[in-house]
Amino acid sequence: MSSGRVSRHARIRMIAAMATVCALSAAPLTPQAVAADAPPYSETYRPQFHFTPEKNWMNDPNGLVYYEGEYHLFYQYNPNGNSWGDMSWGHAVSEDLVHWEELPLALSHDDNEMVFSGSAVVDRDNTTGFGTKENPAMVAVYTSLAKDTGIQSQALAYSTDRGRTWTKYQGNPVLDIGSREFRDPKVQWYAPTQSWLMTVSLSTEHKVRFYSSKNLKDWSLESEFGPAGATGGVWECPDLFPLAVDGDKKKIKWVLVVNINPGGIAGGSAAQYFVGDFDGKKFTADDKGTYTPPTGTVVQDFEGAGAGAGTDFGTWTTTGTAFGTAPATGTLPGQQTVSGFLGNGLANSFHSGDGSTGTLTSPEFTVDSPYLNFKVGGGRHPHQSGDVLEQGPPPEGTVLADFEGGGYGDWTTTGDAFGTAPASGTLPNQQQVSGFLGNGLVNSYLNGDATTGTLTSPEFTLDRKHINFLVGGGNHPAGSDNPTAIELVVDGTVVRSATGKDAEALDWASWDVGDLAGKRARIRIVDGNTGGWGHLNVDHIMLSDTKARLSQETSVNLIVDGQVVRSATGADSETLDWASFDLRPYAGKKARIQLVDMNKAGWGHILADQFTEADTAAKSVVQRADWADYGKDYYAAVSWEDAPDGKRYMVGWMSNWDYSGAVPTSPWRGAQSVPREMGLRTVDGRIRLTSKPVGGIEALRQKPPATAAGVTVENTTKPLIGPAAEGKALDIEATFSLKDADRFGLKVRTGAGGEETVIGYDTTTQELYVDRTDSGADDFNSTFPGVQTAPLKAKNGKVTLRILVDWSSVEVFGGDGEAVITDQIFPDPASQGVEVFAENGTAKLDKATVWHLDSAHN
């Protein structure tokens, strides 16, 4: 499943699955929050032609199979709430992959197991004995998560009434290797051997295993694939299927889809794929050759004048102790093996372990090259604007609680997690607690993670712009089933919350409460979790007009005019990989390179080497990998079995584990992408996976469409057609001719307050892009705003786009479907404009056709 969000670190229990969502939710109540009483499927951000459950949490698509005229969509579902938990299989059916009927829960969690991701097949030959040849059983093959041990094994359930009711097999599990990271079986009938084939993930090992069976009950291991391609996160939800290349049924290739989280092309979750051959037992990926980075002028290689690493950093300057006094010669004491650096020396901030911090800064230089390429590794802790690098004194303000006294004063407690007084630091059997001020703090590790309770402040008036506080401990957000969170409560409602980061170190967090001025409020510290990291550390809660936030980054930054303008991190790996900064916007300016390690928790260090000025950008392993979608919101992508006419349709969960638990939707959370018809096509001499929206979408088009033709745009943005093209649910086809503009394209959902989602083409990089920086509500997670790009070459001087706009998403298909970007957006409902633009030159819009789409709920 993208399933359990099971951590790579044994100390973090599976129940901490929501740790990948935002640790700090400072969003004010959104329009969605007050629209929850709207009629079903009409709420503010409710998709109109993407599947969503009527209520509650949904993630991965599961069990995709076609049978007796129906496409079955099962999906990871929480029947009991709007956050991840109690994983079960929801169920919906469709005749056209567009209009869906939600059915009752199919496979439910119980006292012993959660039902994670998997697949479904029709057992036409009754190999299982669950049905008959006249009435074959539909068999679900799912990952069972044992609640008592955390073991993930493969299990069966079956239905003999077209998937309406289900029985779990009494002989479960049917495949158990004793692993906590073994999940998401995709099963299909492999005709050449007259046997069942299972493709399943060894998630943390970055491997896919292939098993065979004659009866779905007894499985034999055939082979493994991996590690390969992008490996910066767990591998999940694999899929394997054949496709004809360029429509030639005599030339068949196999596609292995491996979803990855984190470490995707746009950050966080994504769907990677490999093209190759499958012989019934083993998958062999096509050889893509070795990578040679661009040549250029090396400006820092940390080699020094001699044969080994330099005896000091030369003209580069350090602060703190993390980088030592000279380049490292490789792996430092206590560190996993470091690889991927060039020569004998590199910058390595693991001196004295992850607990040390510091910076390493280059002398000032003039930017006179298009790109700065370098190798980077270590922790994935990105730079965030507004962070301060050193923990100085708190901002001025009113201290609500510093927990220095002998008790909690007029704060009230429930349960037994907080005891009768603040802690003086680290508690028995706890890892070292650091970062608190003075001699006392709130620490709910009293008697271990098993204790629970609350600690609530007296009521106070919000008379400053910010509430600042220090927080550490577990990452179990407010609203999840078992939170460890500090909450701001106004009028009985939680309006702000924050968690730790699964680390004992306390760091500054801040809530903007300017919109709540004058209201009465309480602070509530909640420990409702008895699993791993089931506790919270809190200190120095204060009202202030100044925001406090301490940097947690492990990054390589480019600084121009005192501002960080480019930044890169490692991928939680000791292997260095290529990265690149685009310097072109800063030509002629003075700049510095700064390596920053301000993180004391896991992977709290940075590695860097071989800074090279070059004319072209180096590409990382992630950039060189192949992606089914380059957006932020396409994950757990799997395909339907047994679709008519040999078609291969695929669908993905339209979200990202970076923020999936924080998106501002209610009473549901989670949507599926538009199902897509998949193909293989030769692009620039290489076979690429392509996709296009399922044909049923066109049946939603209202007639007549709005059209425009022969529109020349020069250095401006203007309405595409006018009111006739405006809307919240649109299907747009557009063809542009390249002229001399650097960038051109369309803007959708434009409106109040400068809201816009930009869908463009960059001629200088030959990339399609979606910019949702100003797309609407985006302050629920720092990784949500931004720009996603996909490589796309113009064809005969033209760029063709197909854009699907829904109430809370855009899906952009570039060219013939070889470049796709899927992004959620949360604009104001009044933002419905569509505009055409060109930057730094002229572009020609040859033709645009805009259809309004009917709701698939009607």
Side-chain angles (χ1 to χ4, degrees):
M1 126 167 215
S2 60
S3 66
R5 302 284 56 76
V6 179
S7 168
R8 287 163 289 176
H9 301 287
R11 69 179 186 275
I12 303 176
R13 302 288 189 266
M14 183 285 313
I15 202 67
M18 288 307 297
T20 48
V21 306
C22 72
L24 177 64
S25 176
L29 292 177
T30 67
Q32 182 61 44
V34 297
D37 293 333
Y41 304 107
S42 66
E43 301 93 344
T44 303
Y45 298 128
R46 175 74 76 167
Q48 296 301 293
F49 56 91
H50 294 79
F51 176 76
T52 53
E54 181 177 348
K55 63 180 182 179
N56 296 344
W57 168 277
M58 175 182 70
N59 54 284
D60 307 356
N62 303 148
L64 307 184
V65 67
Y66 180 82
Y67 183 52
E68 292 190 353
E70 291 180 323
Y71 293 93
H72 290 262
L73 168 66
F74 301 91
Y75 46 87
Q76 290 289 277
Y77 185 66
N78 180 358
N80 299 317
N82 204 19
S83 58
W84 187 95
D86 291 339
M87 281 294 98
S88 307
W89 276 24
H91 189 195
V93 293
S94 174
E95 296 181 358
D96 61 359
L97 292 171
V98 175
H99 297 85
W100 293 96
E101 177 189 358
E102 187 174 350
L103 297 177
L105 191 70
L107 302 178
S108 178
H109 74 103
D110 57 32
D111 291 341
N112 299 314
E113 70 172 0
M114 282 202 278
V115 182
F116 280 3
S117 296
S119 51
V121 294
V122 177
D123 185 15
R124 289 185 169 81
D125 293 331
N126 197 30
T127 65
T128 59
F130 292 153
T132 65
K133 287 200 174 184
E134 293 73 29
N135 182 31
M138 185 180 294
V139 182
V141 189
Y142 67 90
T143 295
S144 169
L145 177 107
K147 290 185 175 180
D148 56 348
T149 65
I151 296 296
Q152 298 178 4
S153 59
Q154 314 320 317
L156 305 180
Y158 60 93
S159 169
T160 55
D161 59 1
R162 296 168 51 245
R164 267 56 180 182
T165 61
W166 290 83
T167 302
K168 291 181 181 178
Y169 175 47
Q170 292 299 306
N172 284 338
V174 296
L175 182 56
D176 183 357
I177 63 171
S179 171
R180 290 186 168 130
E181 302 283 356
F182 179 52
R183 54 183 176 266
D184 311 337
K186 176 62 187 287
V187 174
Q188 60 192 287
W189 181 251
Y190 187 71
T193 59
Q194 290 294 290
S195 60
W196 298 102
L197 170 68
M198 178 193 292
T199 306
V200 62
S201 174
L202 287 171
S203 296
T204 55
E205 296 179 40
H206 308 116
K207 291 181 179 179
V208 170
R209 279 189 169 181
F210 302 99
Y211 290 85
S212 64
S213 173
K214 293 296 184 181
N215 59 8
L216 291 176
K217 301 173 183 176
D218 304 295
W219 293 92
S220 299
L221 176 63
E222 299 292 351
S223 66
E224 290 183 348
F225 172 80
T231 57
V234 292
W235 277 17
E236 298 184 317
C237 303
D239 194 3
L240 179 72
F241 51 85
L243 285 173
V245 179
D246 298 323
D248 183 356
K249 295 185 178 180
K250 294 181 179 180
K251 186 177 181 182
I252 300 295
K253 281 285 188 179
W254 287 76
V255 179
L256 176 63
V257 175
V258 181
N259 292 272
I260 182 173
N261 175 69
I265 182 62
S269 316
Q272 177 181 203
Y273 73 89
F274 302 88
V275 176
D277 298 302
F278 183 71
D279 63 5
K281 295 179 179 291
K282 181 180 181 180
F283 175 81
T284 304
D286 291 349
D287 185 1
K288 295 169 67 174
T290 57
Y291 176 68
T292 302
T295 57
T297 302
V298 177
V299 295
Q300 177 58 276
D301 58 8
F302 301 109
E303 295 298 303
T311 56
D312 58 36
F313 286 112
T315 55
W316 288 50
T317 57
T318 63
T319 65
T321 60
F323 292 92
T325 59
T329 56
T331 307
L332 292 171
Q335 190 174 24
Q336 299 175 44
T337 302
V338 174
S339 62
F341 61 100
L342 301 177
N344 299 306
L346 76 156
N348 183 343
S349 74
F350 196 75
H351 286 81
S352 301
D354 279 331
S356 57
T357 61
T359 64
L360 175 62
T361 308
S362 77
E364 194 173 59
F365 62 94
T366 301
V367 175
D368 57 6
S369 296
Y371 294 93
L372 179 69
N373 299 330
F374 54 95
K375 304 207 79 175
V376 63
R380 184 195 282 114
H381 304 283
H383 170 82
Q384 294 188 39
S385 178
D387 288 356
V388 295
L389 291 185
E390 298 292 346
Q391 182 167 333
E396 293 184 0
T398 303
V399 176
L400 296 174
D402 60 8
F403 305 108
E404 293 299 302
Y408 288 119
D410 47 6
W411 287 55
T412 57
T413 63
T414 66
D416 52 4
F418 297 94
T420 58
S424 58
T426 307
L427 293 172
N429 299 316
Q430 187 176 24
Q431 298 176 43
Q432 184 69 37
V433 175
S434 62
F436 58 100
L437 299 179
N439 299 307
L441 77 154
V442 173
N443 183 342
S444 73
Y445 194 74
L446 188 66
N447 296 318
D449 279 330
T451 53
T452 61
T454 65
L455 177 63
T456 305
S457 77
E459 199 171 49
F460 61 93
T461 300
L462 292 167
D463 57 3
R464 300 290 185 96
K465 293 181 180 178
H466 299 277
I467 299 179
N468 299 322
F469 50 93
L470 289 162
V471 62
N475 183 344
H476 307 280
S480 62
D481 291 340
N482 308 100
T484 55
I486 176 172
E487 301 172 339
L488 179 67
V489 180
V490 175
D491 295 331
T493 300
V494 177
V495 295
R496 305 285 189 274
S497 68
T499 74
K501 299 179 181 178
D502 290 345
E504 301 294 8
L506 285 79
D507 291 306
W508 284 110
S510 183
W511 293 322
D512 184 339
V513 293
D515 60 312
L516 301 171
K519 288 187 174 292
R520 300 285 287 171
R522 296 182 191 270
I523 298 289
R524 183 170 63 203
I525 303 172
V526 179
D527 176 355
N529 198 294
T530 60
W533 288 108
H535 64 280
L536 202 68
N537 307 326
V538 177
D539 194 19
H540 211 85
I541 304 170
M542 61 183 300
L543 289 162
S544 176
D545 288 326
T546 304
K547 184 176 184 176
R549 193 170 68 193
L550 185 68
S551 173
Q552 289 295 296
E553 66 191 281
T554 54
S555 59
V556 178
N557 296 330
L558 180 71
I559 299 174
V560 176
D561 295 331
Q563 301 295 316
V564 175
V565 296
R566 295 283 188 270
S567 186
T569 73
D572 290 348
S573 170
E574 303 293 14
T575 300
L576 286 80
D577 192 13
W578 284 106
S580 183
F581 289 155
D582 184 349
L583 303 180
R584 293 173 299 171
Y586 314 107
K589 289 182 173 290
K590 298 289 187 179
R592 295 181 190 272
I593 302 163
Q594 185 172 68
L595 282 56
V596 178
D597 174 358
M598 286 296 150
N599 198 294
K600 298 178 181 180
W603 288 107
H605 60 282
I606 190 79
L607 314 172
D609 194 20
Q610 202 76 9
F611 288 87
T612 305
E613 295 177 343
D615 291 334
T616 55
K619 291 185 176 182
S620 67
V621 168
V622 172
Q623 290 171 311
R624 303 195 307 269
D626 290 315
W627 303 94
D629 192 296
Y630 287 79
K632 290 280 280 191
D633 294 308
Y634 189 75
Y635 189 60
V638 286
S639 65
W640 270 272
E641 291 300 315
D642 301 336
D645 302 320
K647 299 284 189 180
R648 183 60 58 169
Y649 299 111
M650 178 170 278
V651 68
W653 175 43
M654 198 161 60
S655 197
N656 191 306
W657 281 112
D658 279 355
Y659 45 72
S660 55
V663 293
T665 65
S666 177
W668 86 100
R669 185 172 280 130
Q672 304 296 346
S673 74
V674 164
R676 300 164 185 186
E677 183 178 345
M678 311 307 290
L680 285 177
R681 192 163 57 81
T682 304
V683 180
D684 293 329
R686 196 160 60 83
I687 298 172
R688 298 273 300 278
L689 186 67
T690 64
S691 58
K692 63 180 180 180
V694 65
I697 292 294
E698 296 174 17
L700 299 177
R701 290 172 170 176
Q702 298 177 9
K703 307 292 194 300
T707 61
V711 179
T712 298
V713 191
E714 181 178 5
N715 292 323
T716 191
T717 298
K718 61 184 181 181
L720 173 62
I721 297 168
E726 296 177 354
K728 297 191 293 181
L730 304 171
D731 187 350
I732 304 172
E733 294 181 354
T735 301
F736 288 86
S737 287
L738 274 62
K739 298 297 184 182
D740 60 356
D742 286 347
R743 288 166 296 279
F744 59 81
L746 299 174
K747 298 180 181 181
V748 300
R749 299 303 305 270
T750 66
E755 282 189 357
E756 61 181 19
T757 298
V758 184
I759 300 162
Y761 185 76
D762 189 325
T763 63
T764 68
T765 59
Q766 298 185 82
E767 289 178 326
L768 176 70
Y769 67 91
V770 173
D771 183 347
R772 64 179 183 186
T773 304
D774 297 311
S775 61
D778 62 8
D779 57 354
F780 48 82
N781 184 271
S782 62
T783 70
F784 188 86
V787 182
Q788 284 64 251
T789 64
L792 178 65
K793 290 191 176 180
K795 187 175 181 180
N796 299 321
K798 296 182 183 296
V799 172
T800 302
L801 304 176
R802 170 92 180 271
I803 303 167
L804 298 180
V805 181
D806 207 343
W807 285 14
S808 57
S809 66
V810 292
E811 290 167 283
V812 184
F813 299 81
D816 291 319
E818 67 267 28
V820 187
I821 297 176
T822 299
D823 277 349
Q824 294 181 91
I825 55 173
F826 299 102
D828 187 294
S831 296
Q832 300 189 27
V834 180
E835 300 173 336
V836 60
F837 76 93
E839 296 177 4
N840 197 25
T842 301
K844 182 183 178 184
L845 175 63
D846 297 331
K847 184 177 181 181
T849 307
V850 182
W851 289 271
H852 290 262
L853 294 181
D854 290 327
S855 173
H857 302 306
N858 296 335

